[in-house]
Amino acid sequence: MATTKVSPKLFIDKRRQQVLFAEADKKFVDFLFSIFTLPVGAVMSLLKEGGGTVGCLPSLYQSIEDMSVTHIKPDKSKRFLLEPKVMLCPKVPLLLPNIGSTFRQLYRCSNSNKYNTCINYVTDEDSTICPYCELKMNRIVTFIDPPSTIRESSTTKDGYVKGTVIYMVMDNLEVKPLSTTTLVSLFAKFNVMNIGDIEEKVVDVGMDEGVKLLEASLRSKTVLTDVFLPVENIKTEDSIDTTERYPAE
Ligand SMILES: [Zn+2]
């Protein structure tokens, strides 16, 4: 899996220094949707260094890290919980570190052709001992996607959403196809009178931004603004009234 360049275009309300929405293609939307395929352990593992999580999950995660292996069952590993393997949809942009390297691989023992019972066992941990013949399970098994009734080209099979549409990602990560009607009501909601009040800015989203987007999505309703227009970067001479930045719904 290779890193894909993802470059949504932000539409920024210059007066409030707030991202109104991002115009995005399929790649950015596929990345956002893929957040739901991540096990909580993988999310915690990605965010623990920045301390970017709320609630009790960090202390629960730390408890597992700190627990002596003498208290863990001998057939289990703490890695199963702390670094769970991820089953990603093919060709979703790789915008989170260490996720691709933990792509789930399945294994069987080499007796799977010989004994019917061995065929019943499959593992995602290389060299686990087969419960029937007690050989190492290190023969790679190929996962086959369910057959589709639609003949797909290689590009339409990738990711989750169709690539023929331009999408609109709101500051709170609401995603919808871009339409003039939505744009008009959005500008009305934010009291944008003049198109000159809007700044367009294309941003590159790499792994740093991927982790920041994931982190902000867990705590904020203004994710794009938080990640791409952090408050410390706003010049003081702009004298932004922060109560005006996020108007009440
Ligand atoms: Zn076996």
Side-chain angles (χ1 to χ4, degrees):
M1 256 191 293
T3 309
T4 317
K5 194 181 171 199
V6 178
S7 305
K9 187 198 280 181
L10 306 180
F11 287 76
I12 300 162
D13 180 335
K14 285 196 285 193
R15 199 164 49 90
R16 293 195 184 92
Q17 278 297 299
Q18 181 175 9
V19 176
L20 296 181
F21 69 95
E23 182 188 292
D25 64 6
K26 158 186 175 53
K27 287 183 284 187
F28 188 54
V29 176
D30 279 340
F31 163 67
L32 292 175
F33 284 6
S34 75
I35 287 175
F36 289 102
T37 68
L38 300 175
V40 174
V43 172
M44 292 302 301
S45 162
L46 284 168
L47 301 185
K48 67 180 170 160
E49 266 144 49
T53 46
V54 292
C56 301
L57 289 176
S59 46
L60 184 57
Y61 188 94
Q62 193 61 47
S63 304
I64 300 169
E65 266 195 334
D66 294 345
M67 188 159 283
S68 160
V69 286
T70 57
H71 298 298
I72 304 291
K73 288 174 65 184
D75 61 332
K76 294 286 183 287
S77 156
K78 291 201 282 184
R79 285 194 304 114
F80 280 114
L81 302 168
L82 300 175
E83 298 162 26
K85 290 174 181 168
V86 177
M87 188 69 97
L88 279 180
C89 188
K91 302 278 178 71
V92 167
L94 185 58
L95 298 180
L96 295 170
N98 307 322
I99 289 292
S101 61
T102 57
F103 191 77
R104 178 181 277 175
Q105 181 67 65
L106 302 174
Y107 304 89
R108 276 197 169 132
C109 73
S110 54
N111 274 332
S112 300
N113 295 336
K114 204 158 137 194
Y115 305 123
N116 268 337
T117 308
C118 287
I119 284 176
N120 294 326
Y121 300 119
V122 66
T123 179
D124 63 0
E125 184 73 12
D126 190 4
S127 299
T128 299
I129 300 300
C130 173
Y132 185 72
C133 71
E134 298 186 347
L135 283 182
K136 281 184 179 176
M137 301 172 76
N138 51 15
R139 177 185 280 189
I140 291 176
V141 174
T142 307
F143 180 81
I144 307 294
D145 276 323
S148 170
T149 51
I150 302 164
R151 283 191 68 183
E152 294 172 304
S153 72
S154 61
T155 48
T156 54
K157 269 196 297 188
D158 301 341
Y160 303 101
V161 295
K162 290 187 177 173
T164 46
V165 178
I166 301 291
Y167 296 90
M168 185 176 188
V169 180
M170 312 302 292
D171 205 13
N172 66 357
L173 297 189
E174 195 182 335
V175 177
K176 54 185 103 173
L178 186 67
S179 80
T180 319
T181 323
T182 324
L183 273 183
V184 170
S185 58
L186 184 74
F187 287 162
K189 178 184 168 188
F190 284 91
N191 202 22
V192 177
M193 304 298 208
N194 191 332
I195 204 72
D197 295 339
I198 305 291
E199 180 192 349
E200 295 180 22
K201 184 181 175 189
V202 175
V203 288
D204 286 334
V205 181
M207 287 202 184
D208 277 357
E209 292 78 16
V211 173
K212 284 178 186 167
L213 286 164
L214 174 64
E215 184 273 318
S217 69
L218 293 169
R219 59 158 176 78
S220 173
K221 299 274 191 197
T222 54
V223 172
L224 300 178
T225 299
D226 291 3
V227 171
F228 297 110
L229 300 177
V231 172
E232 60 267 27
N233 290 347
I234 296 172
K235 294 185 189 111
T236 46
E237 60 262 36
D238 288 345
S239 62
I240 304 296
D241 178 357
T242 51
T243 56
E244 195 188 12
R245 186 169 177 178
Y246 308 127
E249 290 292 317

